[in-house]
Amino acid sequence: NLPTVFVVTPTFKRFVQKAELTRISQAFKAAKKLHWIVVEDSVQKTDLVGNFLKSSGLKYTHLNIRTPFTLRRHKKEFRRLKPRGVEQRNLAIEWLRKNIDPQRTSGVVYFADDDNTYDSQIFDEMRWIRGVGVWPVAFTGGARWAGPICKDGQVVNFHANWGLFRPFPVDMAAFAVNIKKLILDFPKAKFIALKRPGMLESSLLRQITTVKELEPVTQNCSKVYVWHTRTETPKDSILGERGLIKKGTPS
Ligand code: UDP
Ligand code: MN
């Protein structure tokens, strides 16, 4: 009886949204026993995401919650000060608490943003995590990768471009949590959008675990299965291409 991987993805409307969802969904489809919880940052669920999920062939749950104005990152605001996707991930945690009985369904939760790239191998490794498991993520500034340094099945240090003072200097894409931890052991734990930069991952992890307890995944943290990719925003001008739009727009 394979444990289920619950993948939580906050997502929001923009030109590249469907391309991002397509790319990551194909990695998810290649994994066994995966349940995708997609949380739109919107007042209402959109048809684009709804139809996409329906035809995805994946087991999924479609939720939505709009980030309140004060928590939204506006133009020119420093990236690390306003973490994104916070309300969305917390809503997914609440959904799990209401809908999943960990005595009947074993599994882990993974917070997979829509802009990263995932090798489906990671899901087969993370599903066996008993508490909180960690692994490296590639491309994060000059450090080239960020995450735990592991020895003999324990995390002995962290590698990062920045912020080694953080209690858990790991990326959102670098850990997964057994659902028992979040549902039974720590039924109130959630992400907190702190004013200090880069603290979102730590805000949850320090409520539920310690560095000593972390379980190394990906062969003692020696393999990269997740990349911090970034999709270029396409040009949105149709100057000089007006004829194209009249011929109809494919979807
Ligand atoms: N996101 C969101 N609402 C927003 C901006 C982002 O729900 O207004 C989602 C986004 O799709 C992604 C996650 O939140 O899945 C993290 O966002 P992003 O990758 O932009 O944050 P960063 O990696 O820069 O911290
Ligand atoms: Mn991102």
Side-chain angles (χ1 to χ4, degrees):
N1 210 341
L2 272 189
T4 302
V5 178
F6 293 93
V7 176
V8 173
T9 301
T11 187
F12 72 112
K13 189 177 151 85
R14 65 229 195 258
F15 280 136
V16 300
Q17 182 178 30
K18 198 169 171 188
E20 305 283 48
L21 294 175
T22 299
R23 187 186 66 257
I24 64 174
S25 73
Q26 286 173 352
F28 301 166
K29 247 187 268 189
K32 284 169 227 138
K33 276 258 197 153
L34 188 147
H35 182 143
W36 196 11
I37 304 175
V38 176
V39 193
E40 287 194 74
D41 185 348
S42 61
V43 178
Q44 286 186 327
K45 296 181 182 70
T46 65
D47 286 344
L48 185 143
V49 174
N51 292 333
F52 174 82
L53 288 171
K54 242 180 259 163
S55 57
S56 71
L58 281 159
K59 179 163 185 175
Y60 68 87
T61 297
H62 185 185
L63 306 172
N64 69 289
I65 181 171
R66 179 74 170 124
T67 304
F69 186 82
T70 49
L71 292 180
R72 264 179 252 159
R73 190 194 302 160
H74 303 284
K75 280 209 174 93
K76 293 196 178 139
E77 284 184 324
F78 183 50
R79 191 171 68 81
R80 290 196 184 113
L81 278 178
K82 286 246 181 111
R84 308 166 106 180
V86 181
E87 310 291 307
Q88 290 74 24
R89 296 185 193 97
N90 283 338
L91 182 67
I93 295 174
E94 278 310 314
W95 185 91
L96 287 166
R97 286 178 180 140
K98 283 200 197 99
N99 295 280
I100 303 297
D101 175 3
Q103 313 284 20
R104 295 179 51 211
T105 309
S106 61
V108 299
V109 196
Y110 179 50
F111 300 97
D113 290 353
D114 61 1
D115 54 342
N116 300 330
T117 301
Y118 307 92
D119 181 331
S120 49
Q121 182 92 17
I122 191 66
F123 304 110
D124 276 325
E125 304 210 1
M126 72 167 76
R127 74 174 82 247
W128 303 109
I129 292 166
R130 281 164 298 142
V132 178
V134 285
W135 56 85
V137 173
F139 311 147
T140 39
R144 292 181 52 208
W145 64 277
I149 297 171
C150 305
K151 212 182 152 204
D152 306 327
Q154 277 229 317
V155 175
V156 293
N157 211 336
F158 292 94
H159 178 77
N161 192 40
W162 167 88
L164 280 170
F165 61 85
R166 294 171 291 168
F168 295 84
V170 297
D171 190 85
M172 191 61 70
F175 68 91
V177 182
N178 194 297
I179 55 170
K180 278 197 188 126
K181 272 233 180 240
L182 283 177
I183 300 175
L184 299 179
D185 303 350
F186 299 96
K188 291 202 169 131
K190 61 174 188 169
F191 288 102
I192 303 167
L194 297 165
K195 288 268 148 32
R196 285 173 64 203
M199 285 291 288
L200 192 61
E201 296 84 356
S202 295
S203 78
L204 175 78
L205 290 173
R206 69 181 178 190
Q207 296 173 59
I208 63 174
T209 191
T210 61
V211 169
K212 264 197 118 146
E213 287 173 348
L214 295 174
E215 299 161 35
V217 186
T218 72
Q219 296 164 50
N220 229 2
C221 305
S222 67
K223 298 261 180 245
V224 169
Y225 294 126
V226 184
W227 294 264
H228 248 291
T229 40
R230 190 170 289 162
T231 304
E232 189 177 355
T233 306
K235 286 206 178 80
D236 61 357
S237 164
I238 55 160
L239 266 183
E241 301 169 23
R242 284 172 205 275
L244 287 177
I245 213 115
K246 290 208 191 89
K247 286 178 198 145
T249 306
S251 62

